[in-house]
Amino acid sequence: MAYYITKLVITTILIVLISEISKRSSLIGAILAAIPLVSILAMTWMYIDTNSSNKAVEFSQNIVWLIAPSMTLFISFPFLIKKGLSFYPSMLISIFLTVFAYYSVIFLLHKLGIRA
C-alpha cells in the first residue's frame, strides 16, 4: 500500500508543480507539459513493478500511434476559445473530438492490420 501511495504522491506533485510553474511562465509550463511525463512515469512504474522493459517498450510503441490524434485537443481548444466559446464548453468539445480522433486512428490501424 505504501508503494501505491508513493506513486500517487510523486505523480501528483509533478502535475501540481507544472500547474504552478505555468501560472508564472506559460512557456516554461508548456515545455514541462510537453515532456511526456505521464508516459515516462508510467513506463518507470511498469519497469519497477515487473522488472522487465518489454511492457514499457510495447507501451511506448503504442503511444507513437496516438501522438497525432492527441494534437486534436491542442488545435481545437484554442480555435473554439477564439471563436467565442467559453472555457468549459470548449474543453468538453475538444476532449470529445480528441477521443473521436483516438478511436478513428485505432479503427484505421485495425483495418490496416496493424496491431496497436
Side-chain angles (χ1 to χ4, degrees):
M1 186 62 148
Y3 173 64
Y4 291 108
I5 292 171
T6 302
K7 285 171 46 172
L8 180 64
V9 168
I10 290 171
T11 305
T12 302
I13 287 172
L14 283 171
I15 292 168
V16 171
L17 184 64
I18 291 170
S19 173
E20 291 301 314
I21 290 170
S22 296
K23 290 179 189 176
R24 291 167 184 78
S25 171
S26 60
L27 177 60
I28 294 173
I31 290 169
L32 291 172
I35 297 169
L37 290 174
V38 172
S39 300
I40 291 167
L41 285 170
M43 289 185 287
T44 301
W45 299 137
M46 275 187 252
Y47 180 75
I48 290 170
D49 290 345
T50 65
N51 202 26
S52 168
S53 57
N54 291 337
K55 280 290 187 187
V57 168
E58 184 180 332
F59 178 77
S60 175
Q61 290 172 331
N62 285 329
I63 286 175
V64 170
W65 294 111
L66 300 174
I67 290 171
S70 70
M71 295 298 110
T72 305
L73 178 80
F74 304 109
I75 294 168
S76 62
F77 179 71
F79 175 81
L80 293 169
I81 292 286
K82 289 177 183 177
K83 288 297 182 183
L85 258 62
S86 61
F87 179 86
Y88 290 111
S90 295
M91 184 60 74
L92 186 64
I93 292 167
S94 297
I95 291 169
F96 173 78
L97 292 172
T98 303
V99 170
F100 178 77
Y102 284 139
Y103 280 111
S104 298
V105 167
I106 292 167
F107 176 79
L108 180 62
L109 289 173
H110 285 306
K111 286 290 184 188
L112 295 173
I114 299 170
R115 187 178 171 271

